[in-house]
Each structure stands twice: as C-alpha cells, then as structure tokens.
Amino acid sequence: MTQSDAIGAKTRILDAAEHLFTDHGFAATSIRRITAEAGVPLAMVSYHFGSKKGLIEAVYARALGQRDTSRVGYLDRLEAQAGGAPISVDVLVEAFISSALRLTRKGNISGVVFKQMIGRAFYEPGAGVEDFFPAEYAEAVERYKRAFMRALPALAEADVVWRMYFFVGMVAYAMAGKDVMRMTEVYALDEAGNPEAMLRRMLPFIVAGFKAPSGDPELTGAARLADLPA
C-alpha cells in the first residue's frame, strides 16, 4: 500500500466513524461496521488507530482542530493581551462559548454533526467516553480553571471547579441540539434550534453564576451567623 493509499484509507475510516458514531452512538457502532462503510480491511483500524478508543479520540481530535484555533489557543492570546493581569469573568465565559461556536462552524465537520457528537459524548448512557477527549481538552479545562481563580480570588478552588462543571455541562447541553430540551417545544422558543442565539442568552446567566457568593455550606453558614445582631 502506498502512502497515498494509507492516508486515503485513514480519512475514509474517520469519515465513516464520524457518521456512524453520530447516528448510532459509540457502544452500538462496531469496528467491523465502520470498516465496511469505509471499504477497508478490518486490520486498518488497528494499523492507524490502535483500538476503537484510539479511533474515537482521533475523531474528536480532528473535530477539535489545531491549537491555534482551540480553546487553549484562544486563551493564550487573551492572556498575552492581559499582560499578567487577571482576565475578567465575562471575557473568559465569552471566550469559552465563542470557542464552542467556532467548533460548530468548522469546515471539516458540520455544526449539526459536531453538536450531535458532543451530545453523544456527554449523555450517551454507559458509553465510557469520558476518557477519550484529546489532551488539549483536559489542558483547556485546567487553564480555564486557573484563569477563573485569578478572576475570582474570593472563591475557593472547589467553588470555581463546581461552577466550571455546571458551565461546561450547560454549554454541552445546548450544543447537543434542541431535541434534548422539550421545554423549547412546549414554550415555542423561536431560537431553540440556533446554537449561537442559545449560547448568547446563556452568557449573562453564566457570568452571574460565577460571580455569586460561595455555595459552600460551611462558608454560607458562617456568613449567616456573622450577619446576626450581637
């Protein structure tokens, strides 16, 4: 097999996996089915990706793109512009959301497909997909955590991590598509199918959540006691 043939086979496997994972989920899609759709021998998956987990990682790595267009790359530029000063919460939240929106507009994968893949990753029962996001994703979470801690020095690390947990979950939920939220059908929200409009509406809600007082029961209790008259 020539190098050109190998590259072509790898691309066909990725295309087939992307399509089948989106339509049928990770657990229900076999390697045999992927290679049949790609028109390549079964052994080609092992040759290029090592395992099904490696293939899933590659599908997401291709969707997430290069560092300079990623969440980490965007944060690199913001921190360089800040010159060592903390970045404000609203800028950090908007940066994270804007990065998510750019992923839905990538040329190598349609926004609809990417949203469905994100939905599969976070909400497919028993998929075991929590470990396959590329290292850049884990780096992005850690970098944003540190940036939020600098912007919110009065909060404990646990508060910041919990708020990021809720934040990331909300963004993933919105990106997964309007079919995951039946309220949008009950109340006929015109922008329910528009990820940019949904995430834009999220922005002030999320910023307010990050800036809220600590949710730690011990700290909250102490604050209540301190407010009581002597």
Side-chain angles (χ1 to χ4, degrees):
M1 177 183 293
T2 66
Q3 183 177 7
S4 177
D5 290 338
I7 293 173
K10 183 177 182 179
T11 300
R12 291 198 304 276
I13 293 169
L14 287 169
D15 290 343
E18 179 183 289
H19 166 242
L20 292 170
F21 288 151
T22 301
D23 285 354
H24 305 289
F26 304 104
T29 301
S30 68
I31 293 297
R32 190 174 299 277
R33 187 171 186 179
I34 292 169
T35 53
E37 177 161 320
V40 301
L42 195 65
M44 292 299 290
V45 170
S46 295
Y47 175 76
H48 286 293
F49 306 102
S51 64
K52 183 177 180 179
K53 181 176 183 292
L55 174 56
I56 296 173
E57 289 174 346
V59 168
Y60 273 86
R62 184 171 74 159
L64 290 168
Q66 300 301 313
R67 183 184 178 94
D68 61 343
T69 59
S70 69
R71 288 187 176 102
V72 172
Y74 199 11
L75 189 54
D76 285 341
R77 293 192 292 276
L78 288 175
E79 289 181 336
Q81 292 168 7
I87 301 169
S88 66
V89 172
D90 56 331
V91 171
L92 288 171
V93 172
E94 186 172 7
F96 193 96
I97 289 177
S98 297
S99 298
L101 289 176
R102 282 200 300 276
L103 290 172
T104 70
R105 297 193 294 261
K106 290 181 70 65
N108 64 333
I109 180 171
S110 76
V112 172
V113 169
F114 187 80
K115 287 189 295 175
Q116 290 173 344
M117 287 173 62
I118 289 292
R120 291 283 188 188
F122 283 93
Y123 299 110
E124 182 176 323
V129 296
E130 62 275 4
D131 296 329
F132 64 55
F133 278 109
E136 186 273 333
Y137 184 84
E139 181 186 356
V141 171
E142 176 61 22
R143 289 280 305 281
Y144 272 88
K145 184 202 79 172
R146 294 201 300 265
F148 277 117
M149 289 183 68
R150 288 195 296 272
L152 298 163
L155 290 181
E157 180 177 2
D159 275 318
V160 172
V161 172
W162 272 113
R163 291 170 198 210
M164 286 187 63
Y165 173 78
F166 299 140
F167 172 30
V168 173
M170 288 172 63
V171 173
Y173 191 79
M175 288 180 65
K178 70 175 182 179
D179 58 329
V180 302
M181 188 174 180
R182 298 302 178 189
M183 278 183 64
T184 62
E185 297 176 3
V186 173
Y187 293 102
L189 300 175
D190 293 337
E191 296 175 323
N194 182 335
E196 297 200 25
M198 291 174 68
L199 295 176
R200 186 177 64 247
R201 287 181 179 276
M202 266 191 200
L203 181 61
F205 182 81
I206 293 169
V207 169
F210 268 108
K211 292 182 176 181
S214 173
D216 188 312
E218 293 185 5
L219 294 177
T220 304
R224 283 201 299 268
L225 289 173
D227 291 336
L228 292 175

